[in-house]
Amino acid sequence: MTEFADGRHSPGSSPARPVLRAAGAGVAAGAVGIAASELLAGVVPGAPSLIIAVGSFVIAKQPPGAKDLVATLFGTSDKLALNVAVVIVALLVAAVAGVVGRRSFGNASRLFAGFGLAAFAAAALQPLNSTVLAAVNAALATGASIGALRILLADAGFLAPVRLGRTGRDEDDGSVAPSGGMPNASMPGWSRRRFLLRAGAFLVGAVAAGALGRLLIARGHPSGVPVSASLPAPAAPAQPLVADESLAATGITPIVIPNDAFYQIDTELLSPQVDASTWQLRVTGMVDHPLTFNYSELLAMPLFEQYVTLACVSNEVGGGLVGNTLWTGVHLKEVLAQAGVQSGATQIVGRSVDGFTVGFPTAWALDPSREPMIAVGMNRLPLPAEHGYPARLIVPGLYGYVSATKWLSEIELTTREAFDAYWVALGWAKDGPILTASRIDHPSDGTTLAAGEVDIDGLAWAPDRGVASVEVSIDNGPWQTTMLSRAISRATWVQWWLRWQAKPGQHTIQVRATDGTGAVQTQTPGGPEPAGATGYHQVQVSVS
Ligand SMILES: Nc1nc2c(c(=O)[nH]1)N[C@H]1C(S)=C(S)[C@@H](COP(=O)(O)O)O[C@H]1N2
Ligand SMILES: [Mo]
C-alpha cells in the first residue's frame, strides 16, 4: 500500500459525504451498464453476457494455487456465487470510477472503458462467443455507465448539469465542479433529493433490467430438458433391473439417479447449447482413416445401453459428486476400429466444443473387460445440455476429469507424452481411476434418533472393479457386514444396508468398502487433490 504524503485529507474539508455520494453515483452508473449488457445478452441471440464471460475467464485463468478452490467451485450454486462475485467486483470498480469522476470525468470514463475492454477481451477469448457481439455489448455497457455517471455526478453537484446540444466549451477532461475547485460539500437539500431519487431510479431500473436479462439468458439455456426429443431404439438395450438390483428401503438413495438430479461438474457458467444439425465429431491424430460423424450418422450406428457410475475426482469423502445412470451410446471401440488406431497411439484425447480436454490410456479403452462409449443418451433420453448434448464420452472406471468429455467434438489419438489434458496441466493426476469409496446416506451426520431399530444405509462404488463387500463399524467396534443390492455390473455402485439396535448416547458410525480385487478402500484421509479423496466416511448421531 502506498501512503500519500500530500494533504489529501486536508483539514477543513469533510470529504466523507461527497465521496460517498460520488461512490454511490459510480455504483448506480455501473449497475446501469451491467444491466444494459445483460439485457442485450438476453434479447439478442448469440450476444455474450459480460458477467458470465468474466466469470469464465476467472475459471479458465485460475492461478495454480487456487485450483482446489476452483475445482470445488463447479456445483450449480457455486456458479451463482461466482456470478455474484463478478458483479460485486464490477460495482466496486464503478464506485472507484464515481469517486475519480469528482475530479476528472475523463479519468472516470477511461476507467469504465478499461473495464469494458477487459470484459470484451474475456468474452472474445471464449471460443463459442461472437467477437462482434461481444464488442457491441461491451461498448453498450461502457457507454451506458459513462452516460449514467455523467448525469448522476451532475445531479450530485460535482459536474455542470448535462445539457443536450451543448453550447459552451467542450466538456471532457475539463469537466469540473461548477465551483471550479473542491466539489460542493454542502449540497442544497433539493439537489441532494434529486440526486438520491435519480440514483435510486437508476438502481431499481438496473436491477429490473438485469433480472429480465438473466431470465432471458436462462431461457436460452434451458436446464434439465433434452434438446432433441427422442433417440433411436438401441440395438442392444440394457436388461430391465431385477428387484434386488435396487433395494427399495424407504429413503434409500436410488440406484439410478434421475437426469435432473445427476451431479453436474464443468468449467462452464452456462452449458454450451450445441446445434446438433451442424455439430460434428471428428476422429483425428494417429489413425489410418480420420473420420467425421454428424449427429444422424452417429445415431445410425448400433446403439447399446449400459449402467455406469461416474464420479468426480474432487468429490470429498461422503460427498455427492457421484452418480449412476443408464447411458445410451455407440461403442468407442467400434469407432476406433473404423479409424484404425496406429501403433504407438497410447493416449486418447477427448476435446469439447468449448476447448475442454480429457486424456486416458488407449489400452484402458481397448481392454476387453469394459465398454467405453460415445454416449448420446441418459436414462433413455437424449443427453440434457448440461450433461453434454449431443454427445459425450463415458469410460467405465475413470473419473470424469480424465474421461467424460461433454459436448464432445473430437477424439484425437496421440501419445501419453504428447499432451496433458485440462486438469492434468493444472496439477491433477495424469491417471484417474475411480478410487473405491463408500458413503453413509442414513442416518445423516448430526441427527438425533430414537433408541431402537435404526436403518443405516448408503452407497459404495469401485468402478470398474466392482464392490465385494461393505462393512460398518459403530463406535470403533467390530466391522459388521452389511446387506448389498445385487450389483448391476462391476461399473456400477451398490446400495448397502444394515439394521442397528441403537442405544441411548452419542455414536459414531463408519463405513468401508472392499473392491472386487479384495482391496479395502484406503483408510488414511487424503485428497481430493491430486487423485481423489481417501478415508472412511463417518457420521455422528445422538440416540435418546
Ligand atoms: N466439456 C467438458 N466436459 C467435462 C467437464 C468440463 O468441465 N467440460 N468436466 C468433467 C468432469 S471434472 C466431470 S466429473 C464430469 C461430470 O459430468 P456430469 O456433469 O455430467 O456429471 O464431466 C467431465 N466432462
Ligand atoms: Mo470432475
Side-chain angles (χ1 to χ4, degrees):
M1 279 281 161
T2 315
E3 289 293 329
F4 293 103
D6 62 10
R8 200 152 288 194
H9 296 105
S10 53
S13 78
S14 124
R17 281 164 149 255
V19 165
L20 268 185
R21 268 204 309 274
V27 167
V32 166
I34 292 171
S37 76
E38 291 295 281
L39 193 56
L40 183 83
V43 170
V44 178
S49 152
L50 300 180
I51 296 302
I52 288 168
V54 173
S56 303
F57 182 81
V58 170
I59 290 177
K61 297 289 172 244
Q62 54 182 302
K67 56 183 173 276
D68 263 345
L69 178 88
V70 179
T72 58
L73 234 174
F74 293 146
T76 312
S77 55
D78 302 315
K79 288 177 176 176
L80 176 66
L82 182 57
N83 274 289
V84 171
V86 171
V87 170
I88 289 174
V89 169
L91 292 180
L92 286 176
V93 171
V96 171
V99 173
V100 167
R102 288 166 68 213
R103 302 284 178 94
S104 162
F105 186 65
N107 282 343
S109 304
R110 277 186 273 279
L111 195 54
F112 274 132
F115 203 72
L117 208 60
F120 161 71
L125 274 171
Q126 296 273 105
L128 299 173
N129 283 342
S130 145
T131 310
V132 174
L133 289 175
V136 168
N137 208 0
L140 172 72
T142 308
S145 299
I146 293 175
L149 185 67
R150 180 69 186 79
I151 293 169
L152 290 174
L153 287 180
D155 282 348
F158 299 124
L159 294 181
V162 181
R163 270 183 216 95
L164 295 175
R166 51 179 119 137
T167 45
R169 68 200 157 83
D170 193 51
E171 307 166 308
D172 73 297
D173 227 358
S175 295
V176 287
S179 52
M182 272 302 288
N184 186 353
S186 53
M187 295 171 83
W190 62 267
S191 176
R192 174 173 304 141
R193 264 199 308 282
R194 189 174 62 197
F195 166 70
L196 288 176
L197 278 176
R198 185 116 67 181
F202 279 8
L203 270 177
V204 170
V207 169
L212 179 62
R214 271 300 157 127
L215 205 75
L216 294 171
I217 292 171
R219 278 270 181 85
H221 291 77
S223 91
V225 284
V227 186
S228 83
S230 65
L231 290 172
Q239 297 297 314
L241 293 187
V242 298
D244 61 355
E245 281 172 337
S246 176
L247 301 181
T250 33
I252 200 164
T253 309
I255 209 81
V256 179
I257 301 289
N259 290 356
D260 58 2
F262 202 89
Y263 84 94
Q264 185 195 349
I265 290 287
D266 53 63
T267 60
E268 291 296 323
L269 285 175
L270 280 177
S271 300
Q273 302 290 301
V274 178
D275 179 356
S277 67
T278 56
W279 171 85
Q280 288 194 323
L281 171 62
R282 301 187 306 133
V283 184
T284 64
M286 298 170 69
V287 292
D288 293 335
H289 318 285
L291 304 173
T292 305
F293 297 87
N294 64 29
Y295 190 49
S296 13
E297 287 166 343
L298 194 66
L299 294 186
M301 294 187 67
L303 298 178
F304 78 111
E305 293 179 333
Q306 66 177 337
Y307 292 90
V308 176
T309 295
L310 179 63
C312 184
V313 67
S314 50
N315 194 33
E316 305 278 349
V317 171
L321 301 179
V322 54
N324 182 63
T325 191
L326 180 63
W327 305 97
T328 306
V330 168
H331 290 278
L332 179 63
K333 286 175 190 169
E334 199 165 315
V335 170
L336 293 179
Q338 275 187 27
V341 175
Q342 294 173 354
S343 68
T346 47
Q347 182 173 218
I348 300 177
V349 170
R351 294 180 194 279
S352 166
V353 298
D354 66 352
F356 177 83
T357 53
V358 303
F360 51 93
T362 308
W364 186 279
L366 294 182
D367 191 299
S369 72
R370 59 179 68 92
E371 280 303 333
M373 67 204 301
I374 301 169
V376 293
M378 235 174 136
N379 283 321
R380 299 210 162 106
L381 288 171
L383 291 175
E386 59 269 41
H387 295 294
Y389 180 85
R392 72 178 302 169
L393 288 172
I394 291 293
V395 184
L398 297 184
Y399 283 123
Y401 81 105
V402 290
S403 68
T405 318
K406 304 193 274 190
W407 316 293
L408 181 67
S409 62
E410 184 182 351
I411 297 169
E412 187 197 351
L413 275 292
T414 181
T415 63
R416 293 279 283 165
E417 297 73 31
F419 183 73
D420 282 341
Y422 186 94
W423 285 110
V424 176
L426 289 169
W428 293 73
K430 176 93 180 177
D431 288 305
I434 300 177
L435 301 181
T436 304
S438 49
R439 185 177 82 196
I440 302 166
D441 287 346
H442 304 102
S444 38
D445 192 38
T447 45
T448 302
L449 311 162
E453 283 188 348
V454 169
D455 285 342
I456 309 177
D457 65 62
L459 295 159
W461 57 93
D464 51 353
R465 304 168 299 281
V467 174
S469 67
V470 176
E471 298 158 292
V472 161
S473 159
I474 290 159
D475 301 327
N476 289 312
W479 288 100
Q480 311 174 47
T481 303
T482 69
M483 185 181 142
L484 298 187
S485 65
R486 191 205 304 193
I488 302 171
S489 80
R490 289 184 310 167
T492 64
W493 64 14
V494 293
Q495 296 160 320
W496 58 264
W497 175 85
L498 181 77
R499 182 151 286 170
W500 171 45
Q501 293 297 329
K503 298 199 172 62
Q506 299 287 325
H507 299 286
T508 302
I509 308 171
Q510 275 186 297
V511 67
R512 70 176 190 191
T514 300
D515 76 8
T517 73
V520 180
Q521 75 178 84
T522 305
Q523 180 170 17
T524 318
E529 208 199 328
T534 56
Y536 296 168
H537 189 213
Q538 65 171 52
V539 298
Q540 249 118 44
V541 294
S542 56
V543 175
S544 55

